[in-house]
Amino acid sequence: MDYTKFFSVNASRRKPSWIGRLRKFASSPSVLWLAGGLPNPSRFPFSEAKLTLRDGTVVNISPETMAAALQYGNKEGNVQLLNYLSDLTQGLHAPPCWSRTKQLITVGQDGLAKAFVMLVDPGDYVIVPQFCSIGSFSELSALNPRYISVEEDEEGMLAEDLRSTLAQLEFRPKVMYVSPSSNSPSGKRMSEQRRRAIYAIACEYDFLILEDDPYYFLHFKDDLPPSFLNLDNKGRVIRFDSFSDVVNTGVLTEVITGPEPLVEKILQHVQATVLGGIGLSQALFTELFRAWGVDGFLRHVREVRQLYCNKRDAMLMAAERHLTGLCEWNVPEGGMFLWLKVPGIKCTQGMLARCCADKNLLLVPGNAFTTNPKLPCQYMRACYSTATLEQMDKALKILADLIREEIQRDKDSPHQYDLL
């Protein structure tokens, strides 16, 4: 496939770094390195570290490992960690195009943001779900695209709506953004049938799929549908995995998996901004895999998943107790959010703004998850990941009272609603 047709003007102009090209040779002890500004490790202030895991296992960061972690490293990421992540990816997703696939480790949502820059010029069409994570819209909107917002049901994006919309467009989109597993804000899981239908449309209309799956490891059932990466036999999927919610947000490790020409273009951008990667956090993650192995990591994931499942059940009990008749919701299949619809009011944003100021209760209005946050929206998102049972019960009781007040307010002023 000729991937250059998907590149934005920015990406087309971007060239690989000479230092980045040469750095792969720097690890050989026989190389006389005079090419780039590597700091002298003899004056690094940290020499070694010892960390204790929750199960009592002690992990040692040796002086050699510490020196390598604090230095500019391999441009794709820690080589040992890449090996672990390669095994994990192949075990979980079995990508059909693995021989033509490349992986890159970066931090936070940096890789996803750079993928948007790589593919989107102002005015380009971008396919997105009806409701989408705040972080994705924040970065993507800065590129000034034209959104194709696809209606959703309990299984996520409607393939029929996508196809009918595309059939009416004069110009075809280059890219679709989707978060298919336990996504934010709704916690929905896209079914296998739906994923296959959407992938077939991507092949028919020749667009790329950015599969952002930060809550993949927080799905509450073992029978996850195949990922888009698993279905991708044409080389049109870039997958983004995050380990922040199952390891910790301080590590913020993101791994990008996709066709080599596309990941290589993202890497060119990474080299200009992140430079040599976040070595110390990758070293910590590597030592964790060394202590646990892939099987141990997956055992840990199951424990974390059970914790969030219990939290979800507690939130649902509080919702049943206080919000029945006031709100509508589906049972989240994973993640850390309850997505609430309030049919009795026009827009949640004004209510939640007053709620934040007066009642010390924080939720996110649904407007924040749409392509046009200026329009009224009856939804809001509540997070249950850290709240205690008592806090959930207190919060939703306050919310119920606020909704009743807002319903009465709408009756008194039927043509007004607050948008900040």
Side-chain angles (χ1 to χ4, degrees):
M1 185 184 297
D2 175 17
Y3 292 102
T4 59
K5 64 185 177 182
F6 296 106
F7 289 158
S8 65
V9 172
N10 182 299
S12 298
R13 292 172 177 169
R14 194 174 298 280
K15 304 301 179 186
S17 160
W18 263 106
I19 301 298
R21 288 174 176 175
L22 296 173
R23 193 175 292 161
K24 63 182 178 180
F25 301 109
S27 59
S28 172
S30 61
V31 170
L32 302 175
W33 178 264
L34 302 179
L38 298 181
N40 192 307
S42 67
R43 289 298 177 264
F44 289 164
F46 302 103
S47 62
E48 58 185 314
K50 181 181 292 186
L51 300 98
T52 304
L53 304 183
R54 290 178 60 88
D55 62 7
T57 302
V58 176
V59 174
N60 292 298
I61 308 294
S62 69
E64 295 77 17
T65 299
M66 181 65 78
L70 298 177
Q71 186 59 274
Y72 291 118
N74 179 52
K75 60 181 183 177
E76 287 88 358
N78 184 296
V79 174
Q80 293 172 311
L81 181 56
L82 280 167
N83 289 335
Y84 285 120
L85 295 175
S86 172
D87 291 343
L88 184 67
T89 302
Q90 291 183 74
L92 294 175
H93 304 290
C97 297
W98 184 253
S99 63
R100 306 191 302 276
T101 296
K102 185 180 182 71
Q103 289 192 296
L104 166 65
I105 302 171
T106 183
V107 61
Q109 289 194 146
D110 185 65
L112 179 61
K114 286 175 167 55
F116 288 147
V117 172
M118 174 181 69
L119 299 171
V120 180
D121 285 313
D124 281 352
Y125 285 103
V126 178
I127 304 166
V128 296
Q130 180 182 12
F131 296 105
C132 200
S133 73
I134 293 174
S136 303
F137 275 144
S138 296
E139 185 59 34
L140 186 52
S141 295
L143 300 172
N144 197 26
R146 286 183 284 184
Y147 289 113
I148 302 171
S149 181
V150 182
E151 292 288 328
E152 298 177 276
D153 62 9
E154 65 278 1
E155 295 183 10
M157 273 189 180
L158 289 165
E160 298 84 357
D161 183 57
L162 173 60
R163 182 181 293 279
S164 63
T165 301
L166 292 177
Q168 299 173 38
L169 291 178
E170 182 179 351
F171 301 100
R172 291 189 175 185
K174 293 188 294 184
V175 62
M176 177 179 81
Y177 169 85
V178 63
S179 183
S181 305
S182 312
N183 66 344
S184 171
S186 66
K188 294 177 180 178
R189 177 186 72 166
M190 189 180 289
S191 68
E192 177 176 353
Q193 181 180 7
R194 189 69 55 81
R195 296 183 198 217
R196 291 188 181 278
I198 289 174
Y199 183 79
I201 294 171
C203 294
E204 179 182 348
Y205 283 86
D206 192 25
F207 58 79
L208 302 176
I209 297 175
L210 302 183
E211 181 180 26
D212 182 27
D213 223 352
Y215 301 106
Y216 174 80
F217 292 112
L218 293 184
H219 189 74
F220 299 146
K221 297 180 180 178
D222 292 327
D223 61 335
L224 268 174
S227 63
F228 280 102
L229 184 66
N230 173 263
L231 302 177
D232 184 26
N233 55 17
K234 304 294 184 183
R236 60 177 66 251
V237 173
I238 312 175
R239 180 176 172 84
F240 302 85
D241 280 296
S242 171
F243 299 89
S244 302
D245 296 318
V246 293
V247 179
N248 65 66
T249 53
V251 173
L252 273 177
T253 301
E254 177 190 53
V255 60
I256 307 167
T257 307
E260 185 170 0
L262 297 176
V263 177
E264 185 65 37
K265 184 59 72 171
I266 295 173
L267 178 58
Q268 291 175 11
H269 196 171
V270 170
Q271 286 180 263
T273 54
V274 186
L275 301 179
I278 312 300
L280 187 54
S281 64
Q282 292 186 27
L284 292 176
F285 204 8
T286 302
E287 295 304 317
L288 185 65
F289 267 112
R290 195 191 312 278
W292 282 351
V294 170
D295 289 341
F297 169 76
L298 293 175
R299 282 195 299 272
H300 170 73
V301 165
R302 287 192 289 272
E303 294 172 1
V304 175
R305 191 167 58 188
Q306 187 58 54
L307 169 67
Y308 283 108
C309 186
N310 293 341
K311 291 281 189 181
R312 177 206 63 181
D313 292 344
M315 179 65 95
L316 290 173
M317 288 177 60
E320 291 284 352
R321 186 178 301 117
H322 299 294
L323 300 180
T324 298
L326 295 173
C327 295
E328 298 173 359
W329 62 87
N330 291 319
V331 176
E333 297 192 54
M336 54 181 68
F337 307 109
L338 183 62
W339 186 233
L340 298 164
K341 182 180 181 180
V342 192
I345 65 177
K346 300 178 181 69
C347 184
T348 61
Q349 188 171 350
M351 178 188 72
L352 293 179
R354 291 188 297 277
C355 154
C356 295
D358 300 335
K359 302 294 184 180
N360 295 321
L361 176 61
L362 301 178
L363 291 88
V364 185
N367 311 65
F369 304 95
T370 67
T371 58
N372 191 344
K374 294 182 179 180
L375 294 178
C377 181
Q378 294 180 303
Y379 287 89
M380 55 188 170
R381 192 191 74 177
C383 180
Y384 51 75
S385 59
T386 59
T388 65
L389 297 176
E390 293 77 12
Q391 289 171 335
M392 292 180 198
D393 193 74
K394 180 180 179 180
L396 296 194
K397 184 178 185 302
I398 293 172
L399 181 62
D401 292 339
L402 288 168
I403 291 172
R404 293 187 184 97
E405 293 174 8
E406 189 72 7
I407 291 173
Q408 186 60 47
R409 183 173 180 272
D410 278 356
K411 288 180 180 178
D412 295 338
S413 304
H415 302 298
Q416 300 179 16
Y417 51 83
D418 290 329
L419 282 177
L420 301 182

